[in-house]
Amino acid sequence: MEALVLEKKLDLSLRDFPIERQEEKLGPRDVRIKLHTVGICGSDVHYYTHGKIGPFVVNAPMILGHEASGTIIETGSEVTTLKEGDRVCMEPGIPDPNSKATRLGMYNVDPAVRFWATPPVHGILRPTCVHPEAFTFKLPDSVSFAEAAMVEPLAVGVHAVTKARIKPGDIAIVLGAGPIGLVTALSALAGGCARVYVSDLAKKKLDIAEGLNRAITGVQAGNDDIVERVKRDTDGWGADVLFEATGSPKAAARVFEPLAPGGCVVMIGGQPEPISYDAGAAMIREARVENIFRYAHVFPRCVAMLSSGAIDVRPLITRKFEFKDSVHAFEIAASAPPADVKMQIELPQ
Ligand SMILES: [Zn+2]
């Protein structure tokens, strides 16, 4: 089938690609999905520009894409919750159902998890795929394919906010106004925050952030100091929760400075190298630190919030491309245009 293939670092092609038969075999509890919309993720772009992310190295041609929605075209003999014609979104990581991590409920940290477009597992920038029923979620009519393809990044924000254990009226800080920072800000508000400060170097990204909700305040790093700003606005107390979504060691080193006593820091941004942070500053606040890896158990919640309007991700979708222009789409995404948040690719139907 025709697929967007990362041949090697900086070499993409849209070409016929022989998917192993095993991968396309429909098991009794699987569904076959015709893909509709696929979002371009920072990780897809990173594999394209660097050929690896941490220990995951692209050693053989790999199909990109993991943020997806589509339509069921075939169901396995034991599938009960989905039928042909259902519109769905898919959770891209498939754990071993019998692993210890899965049995303990933290299937996202199962070392055996197979995650789309993480070598050597293929992604879904292709016409169809086979996926387990258990990781495929039906969409209500009120959620579009484009919104549904945003569930995957949104799930990261919702998982982060769940770990933070936000209370109504909390003050939050999000470091980084990329797609993950912005879905985290939206999730924090949906979780009950009174105000979310979003910090980034790029003014355009902060304008987008502030446009999402009047309870979001942009703070331009380099121009304005997030610590001073939040302390000033909270009578010196600080923020209840801080989400680190930049992946920058420099930002991570200062996470406790604007944090209130008893506050929580959630590390979201990937750190490829060991980093240092001020453990003393954490101690005098009795700060709680949470780390997240992708997400678990939140896809249905994300769909429900998109459906009810509790979260609106539509302003984050800034550009769409046709599948035939996928290579071009990735070239643009790799140039990181400051006014773009999420770019998506639509497959022919
Ligand atoms: Zn993603």
Side-chain angles (χ1 to χ4, degrees):
M1 62 175 81
E2 193 176 41
L4 183 71
V5 182
L6 179 61
E7 311 284 1
K8 57 180 189 304
K9 180 179 159 177
L10 294 172
D11 184 3
L12 274 173
S13 55
L14 194 60
R15 64 164 168 101
D16 191 50
F17 191 85
I19 301 259
E20 296 153 46
R21 279 226 192 86
Q22 195 54 35
E23 212 164 312
E24 288 304 280
K25 218 183 111 199
L26 192 78
R29 290 189 169 174
D30 291 336
V31 291
R32 194 180 306 278
I33 301 150
K34 183 178 168 64
L35 290 145
H36 186 289
T37 300
V38 178
I40 300 178
C41 182
S43 69
D44 294 312
V45 174
H46 200 85
Y47 281 122
Y48 169 49
T49 54
H50 292 74
K52 60 173 184 174
I53 296 180
F56 298 102
V57 182
V58 179
N59 289 318
M62 177 182 83
I63 301 173
L64 290 176
H66 65 259
E67 304 178 353
S69 61
T71 308
I72 305 280
I73 51 171
E74 194 184 353
T75 55
S77 57
E78 290 171 22
V79 170
T80 55
T81 61
L82 296 166
K83 58 180 192 312
E84 211 184 305
D86 280 350
R87 298 164 62 253
V88 292
C89 65
M90 294 78 88
E91 187 168 341
I94 309 171
D96 171 358
N98 298 311
S99 73
K100 185 165 182 174
T102 304
R103 286 183 284 118
L104 287 169
M106 41 187 194
Y107 62 85
N108 53 322
V109 290
D110 176 11
V113 73
R114 290 174 54 81
F115 195 94
W116 280 339
T118 301
V121 182
H122 289 298
I124 36 66
L125 271 161
R126 48 181 157 125
T128 65
C129 70
V130 168
H131 206 57
E133 172 189 25
F135 291 88
T136 305
F137 303 95
K138 194 176 153 134
L139 302 172
D141 292 341
S142 53
V143 177
S144 69
F145 284 117
E147 291 169 271
M150 286 296 291
V151 167
E152 198 274 338
L154 176 61
V156 177
V158 170
H159 187 53
V161 164
T162 306
K163 284 264 187 175
R165 305 202 292 262
I166 278 172
K167 294 182 294 299
D170 274 356
I171 303 295
I173 295 171
V174 177
L175 302 181
I180 294 298
L182 296 181
V183 293
T184 301
L186 292 175
S187 303
L189 290 175
C193 279
R195 180 148 302 279
V196 179
Y197 293 86
V198 177
S199 165
D200 201 285
L201 285 164
K203 176 82 172 67
K204 273 192 178 160
K205 298 227 182 288
L206 296 175
D207 291 344
I208 294 169
E210 290 190 330
L212 297 174
N213 192 302
R214 68 188 184 90
I216 294 177
T217 302
V219 177
Q220 195 176 9
N223 228 354
D224 198 356
D225 188 74
I226 185 77
V227 179
E228 273 175 32
R229 177 64 195 270
V230 172
K231 291 248 164 148
R232 191 167 71 230
D233 289 0
T234 57
D235 298 328
W237 182 248
D240 302 292
V241 185
L242 181 144
F243 299 96
E244 199 313 285
T246 65
S248 144
K250 232 177 110 190
R254 295 186 64 197
V255 285
F256 299 108
E257 289 178 37
L259 194 72
C264 175
V265 166
V266 186
M267 303 299 280
I268 307 175
Q271 297 283 359
E273 303 294 333
I275 57 159
S276 54
Y277 65 56
D278 188 345
M283 189 178 281
I284 57 164
R285 289 166 174 80
E286 287 202 343
R288 179 163 56 91
V289 180
E290 297 279 356
N291 291 277
I292 65 155
F293 183 62
R294 297 169 181 155
Y295 35 69
H297 308 290
V298 292
F299 265 54
R301 289 168 178 268
C302 293
V303 171
M305 287 189 285
L306 293 180
S307 176
S308 69
I311 287 184
D312 184 2
V313 290
R314 288 171 299 182
L316 303 182
I317 304 164
T318 48
R319 246 195 262 210
K320 277 188 196 183
F321 296 87
E322 288 182 45
F323 185 50
K324 65 178 172 59
D325 302 322
S326 294
V327 175
H328 179 56
F330 268 80
E331 286 165 356
I332 292 182
S335 74
D340 274 293
V341 182
K342 180 57 71 181
M343 303 185 193
Q344 292 184 329
I345 293 171
E346 271 185 20
L347 286 105
Q349 296 301 300

